[in-house]
Amino acid sequence: MIDANAYFGGWAVRTLGVRDPAEFLAAMDRCGIDVAVVSSLKGMVHNTRDGNEEVIDLVEAYPSRFIGLCCVNPRLGAEEILTELDRCLRSGLRGVRLYPPPQLYDLDDWELMEPLMEEAERRGVPVYVTKMLTHGIPYGTTPFRSIKSFVERYKGVNIVATGMNYRDRLDALRLLRKAENFYVELSLDSGVEAARWYVEKAGSDRILMGTGYCLFYPLVGVAKVSTARIPEEDKRKILHENAARLFSLER
Amino acid sequence: MIIDAHAHISCWEELGISGDADYVVELMDLHGIDKACVSDSRSLRYDFVQGNDGILRAVRRYPDRILGYVTVNPWHGEEALKEFRRRILEDGMVGLKLHVSHTRVNYHSPLCDPLLEEASDLEVPVLIHCYDGGASADKAASKHPRVKLILGHMGGPDWFDAIMVAKRHPNIYLEICSSVMERGIIETAVRHIGAERVLFGTDMPLLDPVVSVYKVRDAEITEREKRLILGENMARILNLEA
């Protein structure tokens, strides 16, 4: 089972952060998760380079358990972010994580985004876009309209939207039907029967199970899919196969 | 026994989500929920008498599974009070639901005083939509110390404030359903006020019962505490046999 969206490291809000790999792995083992796709919370809201360093260390220590995403802030300039992306990918990270509101840029600022997305396409790595981290946390929300424009513009890059709630479903459904490079990850969707809703309306090929651990109770994310009223074949795709395909993992 | 203290029979057309009594019972069966206390979104967003009629039909269709909350708009004064009393005494509904966001009446408002006093006299709980950290409930509980006040969504993002409010008022209960799914919410509530005043609720069919069920199952608390939260506390409040 692959957790397609997890967060690692310190966190200023309450005591949610998990900096200890052993604690993180224990939570994964308890939930039956083999591999977690992780982003650094520090990289998302404070310092991209330092945050990426945490994730590189984690992936180097446990290469069979973690897939790391590289946080970049396009506002820092093309040269700097391409250098950082290159460093991270050479160090074993396998995708990109964007969270525009705390880093003070717009996802549809094409002048900023073009160099990064050209490079992501050239290297064939997925790009994760964060709509929001969690409810009530003051780091802001990426407008869905800009996610839609972004997905439609960069058709050659697989783009995963995280932090989508039930309020986003109808918009996400339209985009899933239009754009084959668009993926929806479920950890923040607290609405009723999320997996079944998407599978019945858009199929299961681009839906991903995520837990949002260390921010959320990890078992919730797993149970949303494992208890869902959908065929076993669809569960396998959401729990494992889609993420494996996205990151070119061997089965 | 698992009792859902916060559910609906509802339609949210703008979200593509809806659920009648049959659907709610399907979800209950799927997640092992024995009984659910429900209100109707029509009561909250349109006409409370029509909504309460819908709840009564659901209760009569599933008398062993569905329990009804009466919803009223406090702005309607004596009419609201009569509706509340009639639904409890004549229709067998089990509690009152108030929602500040739709009626723009804070729970400590004088407009709510007659309803909260009546709930105290009738000895039925009042479920309130609570996303302000319990600020209004704090004042309401001070004015009405006999009423069993259930803070739906546990105060929202400022849930720790709601826990502190509950700590001050033994007549306040915290109900856990929410899109705020932060790890540690349940454990923190239990640590500060004990498991006896924490209640399982789902907000289905808007939210997924799986969220609340697995928040409790994944929480680092004892099995006895989980049983209290999942059903025994609400059974005690409603005088049901566990």
Side-chain angles (χ1 to χ4, degrees):
Chain A
M1 180 163 33
I2 300 175
D3 175 356
N5 185 35
Y7 306 106
F8 181 74
W11 182 238
V13 181
R14 294 187 258 272
T15 57
L16 292 166
V18 172
R19 299 170 193 237
D20 177 7
E23 183 181 349
F24 207 106
L25 286 164
M28 290 167 61
D29 291 343
R30 183 162 50 79
C31 298
I33 294 166
D34 302 295
V35 177
V37 180
V38 290
S39 304
S40 162
L41 289 165
K42 185 192 239 178
M44 293 173 74
V45 302
H46 178 51
N47 183 307
T48 52
R49 190 179 167 87
D50 285 0
N52 292 335
E53 207 55 45
E54 288 180 341
V55 174
I56 289 169
D57 289 347
L58 185 69
V59 169
E60 280 180 353
Y62 303 95
S64 65
R65 302 300 304 276
F66 295 106
I67 292 171
L69 300 181
C70 163
C71 293
V72 293
N73 180 353
R75 199 157 170 256
L76 299 180
E79 190 177 336
E80 182 162 341
I81 61 163
L82 293 181
T83 302
E84 178 64 1
L85 179 62
D86 182 64
R87 180 183 81 90
C88 289
L89 297 182
R90 283 174 190 273
S91 301
L93 305 194
R94 318 261 307 250
V96 175
R97 161 70 75 174
L98 301 174
Y99 188 16
Q103 298 177 346
L104 304 178
Y105 66 92
D106 296 319
L107 198 57
D108 51 6
D109 184 337
W110 308 131
E111 187 182 337
L112 285 185
M113 303 312 298
E114 212 72 43
L116 172 68
M117 295 307 288
E118 280 178 6
E119 191 64 7
E121 181 169 1
R122 192 177 72 77
R123 290 180 178 253
V125 294
V127 173
Y128 275 51
V129 174
T130 317
K131 184 163 188 290
M132 64 190 296
L133 259 176
T134 173
H135 291 276
I137 301 300
Y139 290 111
T141 301
T142 307
F144 188 83
R145 278 194 306 277
S146 67
I147 296 176
K148 178 173 178 287
S149 302
F150 186 70
V151 169
E152 290 176 339
R153 184 177 181 92
Y154 299 113
K155 291 187 171 70
V157 180
N158 286 322
I159 295 167
V160 179
T162 69
M164 307 270 283
N165 200 354
Y166 56 85
R167 291 177 182 275
D168 303 307
R169 282 187 192 174
L170 290 172
D171 297 324
L173 176 63
R174 275 193 299 152
L175 194 52
L176 278 168
R177 286 173 171 167
K178 278 177 72 176
E180 291 185 358
N181 59 324
F182 181 55
Y183 287 69
V184 172
E185 178 275 321
L186 297 176
S187 63
L188 199 67
D189 190 328
S190 54
V192 70
E193 298 203 274
R196 184 178 177 217
W197 193 93
Y198 278 112
V199 167
E200 289 185 349
K201 292 173 170 57
S204 57
D205 289 342
R206 284 175 284 124
I207 309 300
L208 301 168
M209 186 282 288
T211 66
Y213 184 78
C214 60
L215 302 183
F216 306 148
Y217 289 101
L219 209 49
V220 171
V222 174
K224 273 185 211 171
V225 181
S226 65
T227 68
R229 295 190 287 180
I230 55 176
E232 288 302 316
E233 182 188 350
D234 294 315
K235 283 186 190 177
R236 279 198 304 277
K237 287 182 179 177
I238 298 172
L239 290 170
H240 172 80
E241 291 174 6
N242 295 341
R245 188 179 70 247
L246 196 62
F247 289 98
S248 304
L249 302 183
E250 289 181 11
R251 296 187 65 182
Chain B
M1 178 185 285
I2 298 182
I3 303 175
D4 182 348
H6 185 170
H8 299 281
I9 304 292
S10 295
C11 169
W12 292 269
E13 183 186 64
E14 73 280 15
L15 302 174
I17 293 174
S18 66
D20 59 11
D22 294 345
Y23 181 56
V24 166
V25 170
E26 273 180 38
L27 292 172
M28 291 166 69
D29 290 342
L30 189 63
H31 296 289
I33 297 167
D34 298 286
K35 294 180 188 292
C37 305
V38 302
S39 59
D40 191 318
S41 64
R42 272 177 300 181
S43 298
L44 301 171
R45 307 206 315 185
Y46 178 55
D47 181 300
F48 60 80
V49 176
Q50 272 190 25
N52 293 333
D53 284 342
I55 291 301
L56 186 58
R57 284 193 293 275
V59 169
R60 286 179 175 162
R61 184 165 170 78
Y62 294 102
D64 297 329
R65 308 296 300 280
I66 292 182
L67 304 168
Y69 280 118
V70 189
T71 304
V72 295
N73 180 344
W75 283 100
H76 288 244
E78 187 61 28
E79 182 195 351
L81 191 60
K82 277 184 184 167
E83 170 75 358
F84 173 36
R85 193 181 294 130
R86 177 171 76 88
R87 297 291 185 178
I88 298 291
L89 296 176
E90 296 176 22
D91 293 339
M93 293 197 187
V94 300
L96 177 66
K97 169 74 186 268
L98 297 174
H99 198 306
V100 63
S101 303
H102 295 291
T103 57
R104 307 317 305 166
V105 184
N106 283 311
Y107 309 116
H108 64 281
S109 159
L111 292 174
C112 289
D113 285 343
L115 293 163
L116 296 180
E117 275 307 294
E118 188 69 17
S120 304
D121 292 343
L122 292 170
E123 297 183 344
V124 296
V126 180
L127 171 64
I128 60 171
H129 173 86
C130 180
Y131 236 67
D132 66 350
S136 182
D138 193 7
K139 295 171 187 167
S142 294
K143 288 168 78 176
H144 305 282
R146 293 182 301 139
V147 74
K148 292 180 176 121
L149 209 52
I150 300 173
L151 276 53
H153 315 298
M154 222 171 121
D158 293 320
W159 49 266
F160 187 72
D161 293 345
I163 293 172
M164 293 299 104
V165 168
K167 202 168 183 174
R168 285 195 286 279
H169 301 283
N171 56 324
I172 281 186
Y173 297 77
L174 301 175
E175 179 276 312
I176 66 168
C177 76
S178 180
S179 291
V180 179
M181 296 180 282
E182 283 174 39
R183 208 162 45 88
I185 290 180
I186 309 288
E187 293 90 328
T188 308
V190 168
R191 190 162 65 247
H192 285 281
I193 66 166
E196 290 77 5
R197 286 192 288 132
V198 181
L199 302 176
F200 169 76
T202 67
D203 214 1
M204 68 174 161
L206 177 62
L207 302 190
D208 196 330
V210 78
V211 175
S212 288
V213 168
Y214 283 88
K215 265 186 194 173
V216 176
R217 291 203 177 149
D218 210 9
E220 293 179 20
I221 56 177
T222 66
E223 288 304 314
R224 179 179 172 275
E225 288 166 337
K226 289 181 184 179
R227 284 198 304 275
L228 286 167
I229 294 170
L230 286 170
E232 291 177 12
N233 292 336
M234 195 60 182
R236 191 176 68 246
I237 289 170
L238 298 175
N239 295 314
L240 302 176
E241 287 185 15

